[in-house]
Amino acid sequence: MIKILYFAYKMKQFLKKIETIKQRGISLVVLILLIYTSSLWGNNRNVTLDFVKVNGKLLEKEDLELLVVGRNDSISFFYHLDTKDTTLRTAFIFRIFIKNSKDSSSYTTNAKNVNFKNLPEDDYNFRIEAFDPRNKWNAEPLKINFKVDDKISGLYSELKDLRNKVQKSSITAEIKSKRDFTRILDVISIALGFVVGLIVFFVFYFVAKRKSNFKKDLQIDIKPGIYNNIVALEKIKYEQILLENSNLRAEVSALRGQIDALNSRTDELRRQNQELKDKVERLSRSKDELEELQTQKDELFALVIHDIKNPASLIKNLVELLRSYDLTATEQQEIIDDILETTSRIVLLSQEVSRVLALESSVISLNLETALFNNVIQDVVAFNTPAAKNKNIEIFTDYDDKIEELKIDVNKVREVTDNLLSNAIKFTQRGGEVRISTRLEFGKVVVQVADNGLGLSEEDISRAFQRGARLSATPTNDEPSSGLGLWIVKRLVESMQGRVWVVSALGKGSTFSFTIPIFEDTDTFLEEVSSEKLMN
């Protein structure tokens, strides 16, 4: 009796399936037409994924939604070129691309599978392209994203084990059998098309009639209580399935939350690691710069000691000459003049060294005031005119009348211009020319000091503004030169947020130029200078 009741229950479910098939009849016909018409579309080419294996085990389709492997895992991709073109006779080649956050690689192959093993932990973008060697066509590429992470891979494996345990239960097996039965019916319905639609109509009519007669038999022979018990039992089983499915989804959601948290933590650690790496690189560069500055300072002091030693020895010899011999007043006066000149050289060198140390040891302060820029340059020209006349050098000036009152550090502008103009006079032969000009250009003031003197070689130009650099050219009248003046010029110009450079050639003279920006007010100027120092 129980078997008859169970058969009746199964028949009821089968009838429901038949009713579903009837409802799907028209949609199946439309689907078949769509499939048929899609086969007539163009002969597109695309790379299609066949399957994926991890450690030799075939992955299910649902595993590809979150593809995670460990560092020691081996992952293999199997693929082929899918094309509607049945006339394709030309050879084609696959190009493999793989990329992570730090590196990427690509290569070509004829094989229809590729294997990767011992990949470092990271997110990977994997792409497969197919193309004609004669560059006549390129197929639509296959793109796959996967992740290499030992911890996430272990969690995902545990999740799969849990899923497998649930699938092995009797309730899950029954559900799977029902799903397989439904899939078989769908496949049969698609294959038969229009014929199935007609058959379904007649089957439905026949079964509906049998169902009516069968219900009458059940009303006569089956007791209502037994039928209700069967329905209640199936309902309980269905509720158990829903409960276990809900628990499984909750566990999956919790695992995904853990994965997201791990990804966030990984990104944070990667960012902190990059910041530490940048700091280490900056410290390394600072260390190298400090060592270079220390070396330059040692060379500077050695140079200064050498330059002071010779004139000091000369002074000693001249003093001894005054004490040891009976000299005339004229001879004594000549010796005193030599001592005065030599002493002046020592004092000048000492002043420049003190200036270098002051510029290195402290932040250069600015004393801005409103002044006529061209007047400041004229004062420097007037101060250097006597030295130019002693060498019969003529100074030509060209001032831009558009330059009016500006906010500048008058002392620094005067010192920079004086250094460049005095150098031009020193390194120009007697009877030469020196030209100094000013002009307004794109919100900046440009000052140029040009001469037709000895000029500089390419090596001299590259070293011109280095501290203590001794250039190949020497003053034409044996004037003193320490090699520190141009370095001081560079430091002062940069402190005013300007720039200095030189254009020269051997035997054709030199043109030294510097620029300083124009600011409407003192606060803006100081703010820009402070920002520049912070960036450096």
Side-chain angles (χ1 to χ4, degrees):
M1 190 65 179
I2 297 300
K3 290 183 179 181
I4 294 174
L5 293 175
Y6 184 75
F7 175 75
Y9 176 73
K10 289 294 183 178
M11 181 58 70
K12 181 181 179 181
Q13 291 183 335
F14 178 74
L15 292 175
K16 289 182 178 180
K17 297 251 181 221
I18 297 300
E19 291 177 0
T20 304
I21 292 173
K22 178 183 176 182
Q23 295 174 357
R24 294 180 181 176
I26 298 175
S27 61
L28 291 175
V29 171
V30 174
L31 180 62
I32 291 174
L33 290 175
L34 289 176
I35 293 174
Y36 176 74
T37 54
S38 66
S39 65
L40 300 178
W41 293 349
N43 50 3
N44 295 330
R45 303 177 178 89
N46 60 283
V47 181
T48 303
L49 180 67
D50 294 331
F51 51 87
V52 180
K53 289 185 177 181
V54 175
N55 297 328
K57 295 181 179 179
L58 187 65
L59 295 184
E60 300 293 338
K61 288 185 178 180
E62 55 268 20
D63 295 331
L64 299 179
E65 296 178 0
L66 182 61
L67 187 53
V68 183
V69 298
R71 287 180 297 178
N72 297 325
D73 290 337
S74 172
I75 182 169
S76 303
F77 299 93
F78 295 83
Y79 47 87
H80 70 277
L81 177 62
D82 189 8
T83 177
K84 306 278 187 184
D85 186 4
T86 58
T87 63
L88 181 62
R89 294 292 185 270
T90 59
F92 59 89
I93 299 176
F94 292 105
R95 181 182 288 114
I96 310 298
F97 293 89
I98 185 168
K99 178 182 178 182
N100 60 15
S101 61
K102 299 179 181 178
D103 197 6
S104 63
S105 64
S106 64
Y107 63 92
T108 58
T109 180
N110 291 325
K112 295 185 179 180
N113 63 82
V114 63
N115 178 265
F116 299 104
K117 189 176 182 181
N118 297 327
L119 293 175
E121 290 189 344
D122 208 336
D123 293 327
Y124 287 84
N125 297 324
F126 175 63
R127 189 169 80 253
I128 306 174
E129 297 178 352
F131 63 95
D132 181 11
R134 295 175 296 179
N135 295 323
K136 290 186 176 181
W137 55 266
N138 286 281
E140 184 71 20
L142 170 65
K143 299 179 181 179
I144 300 174
N145 296 327
F146 66 95
K147 187 179 187 69
V148 179
D149 192 307
D150 287 340
K151 191 167 185 178
I152 297 177
S153 177
L155 292 173
Y156 192 61
S157 297
E158 293 178 3
L159 177 61
K160 289 177 62 177
D161 293 340
L162 181 60
R163 184 192 302 167
N164 293 333
K165 290 180 181 179
V166 173
Q167 289 177 350
K168 290 180 181 179
S169 64
S170 59
I171 299 176
T172 306
E174 185 177 354
I175 295 174
K176 184 177 179 182
S177 64
K178 293 178 181 179
R179 290 177 180 173
D180 291 340
F181 182 73
T182 303
R183 289 175 185 155
I184 293 172
L185 289 177
D186 292 338
V187 173
I188 293 173
S189 299
I190 294 174
L192 295 179
F194 291 102
V195 177
V196 171
L198 295 174
I199 295 174
V200 166
F201 176 78
F202 291 108
V203 171
F204 177 78
Y205 177 80
F206 174 78
V207 173
K209 189 173 182 180
R210 288 290 304 274
K211 178 181 178 182
S212 177
N213 295 330
F214 189 74
K215 284 183 177 179
K216 292 180 180 179
D217 296 337
L218 289 178
Q219 290 176 357
I220 297 173
D221 297 333
I222 301 176
K223 295 180 180 179
I226 298 175
Y227 182 78
N228 292 335
N229 290 336
I230 295 175
V231 174
L233 180 61
E234 292 295 329
K235 185 176 180 180
I236 292 172
K237 291 181 179 180
Y238 180 72
E239 290 177 352
Q240 289 177 348
I241 293 172
L242 290 179
L243 179 61
E244 292 188 6
N245 189 27
S246 177
N247 294 334
L248 184 60
R249 288 183 178 179
E251 292 179 3
V252 171
S253 178
L255 289 174
R256 286 181 177 175
Q258 294 178 7
I259 291 172
D260 293 338
L262 289 174
N263 288 335
S264 300
R265 181 57 179 165
T266 300
D267 294 338
E268 178 66 19
L269 291 175
R270 186 182 292 112
R271 184 185 64 79
Q272 293 178 359
N273 186 35
Q274 185 62 38
E275 290 178 355
L276 290 175
K277 184 178 179 180
D278 295 339
K279 290 180 180 179
V280 170
E281 290 179 354
R282 288 198 295 270
L283 289 174
S284 178
R285 287 196 299 269
S286 300
K287 178 177 176 294
D288 295 338
E289 291 175 358
L290 289 174
E291 291 178 351
E292 178 65 22
L293 289 174
Q294 183 62 39
T295 302
Q296 292 181 4
K297 184 175 291 186
D298 294 341
E299 293 175 353
L300 173 63
F301 279 110
L303 178 66
V304 170
I305 292 172
H306 178 270
D307 288 347
I308 291 177
K309 181 181 66 176
N310 291 337
S313 299
L314 179 59
I315 292 174
K316 179 176 178 295
N317 294 333
L318 291 174
V319 172
E320 290 178 351
L321 183 62
L322 285 174
R323 295 178 59 186
S324 301
Y325 296 93
D326 186 11
L327 304 175
T328 64
T330 302
E331 293 173 339
Q332 291 178 358
Q333 186 62 40
E334 291 177 354
I335 292 175
I336 291 173
D337 291 340
D338 291 339
I339 292 175
L340 179 61
E341 182 180 354
T342 305
T343 305
S344 299
R345 291 189 180 186
I346 295 176
V347 171
L348 178 61
L349 183 60
S350 301
Q351 289 175 345
E352 290 191 349
V353 172
S354 300
R355 185 66 168 152
V356 170
L357 295 177
L359 292 175
E360 276 191 339
S361 60
S362 61
V363 177
I364 302 176
S365 60
L366 295 176
N367 183 20
L368 299 179
E369 56 183 299
T370 303
L372 290 171
F373 190 82
N374 288 337
N375 289 350
V376 176
I377 305 301
Q378 287 176 353
D379 292 341
V380 176
V381 172
F383 180 77
N384 285 274
T385 298
K389 288 183 177 179
N390 288 337
K391 297 179 67 174
N392 196 24
I393 295 174
E394 189 170 358
I395 301 178
F396 297 93
T397 60
D398 181 15
Y399 303 124
D400 190 345
D401 296 335
K402 297 179 182 178
I403 304 176
E404 300 177 351
E405 287 187 344
L406 302 176
K407 288 281 187 179
I408 59 173
D409 190 321
V410 175
N411 292 330
K412 289 182 174 57
V413 172
R414 183 180 288 117
E415 184 175 354
V416 169
T417 307
D418 178 68
N419 206 318
L420 296 179
L421 185 57
S422 62
N423 277 352
I425 296 172
K426 286 180 184 179
F427 292 93
T428 300
Q429 300 91 338
R430 288 182 176 276
E433 296 178 355
V434 175
R435 297 179 181 272
I436 183 168
S437 63
T438 63
R439 70 176 184 274
L440 198 61
E441 185 178 275
F442 303 111
K444 297 180 181 180
V445 178
V446 182
V447 179
Q448 283 189 343
V449 179
D451 63 69
N452 60 352
L454 302 176
L456 300 175
S457 64
E458 292 184 2
E459 182 180 357
D460 289 339
I461 292 175
S462 64
R463 299 171 51 246
F465 297 99
Q466 293 181 5
R467 183 177 58 184
R470 289 297 181 91
L471 307 182
S472 58
T474 57
T476 57
N477 198 29
D478 198 25
E479 293 97 335
S481 176
S482 64
L484 300 173
L486 292 179
W487 181 83
I488 294 174
V489 166
K490 182 174 181 292
R491 286 281 288 150
L492 293 177
V493 170
E494 289 178 348
S495 71
M496 295 183 287
Q497 204 181 352
R499 188 172 69 92
V500 62
W501 69 95
V502 59
V503 177
S504 181
L506 280 176
K508 296 183 180 181
S510 304
T511 300
F512 284 84
S513 307
F514 72 91
T515 66
I516 56 174
I518 298 174
F519 292 90
E520 298 297 332
D521 55 81
T522 304
D523 295 337
T524 304
F525 189 96
L526 294 176
E527 182 179 351
E528 293 290 336
V529 172
S530 300
S531 300
E532 184 71 19
K533 289 179 180 178
L534 289 174
M535 291 176 64
N536 293 334

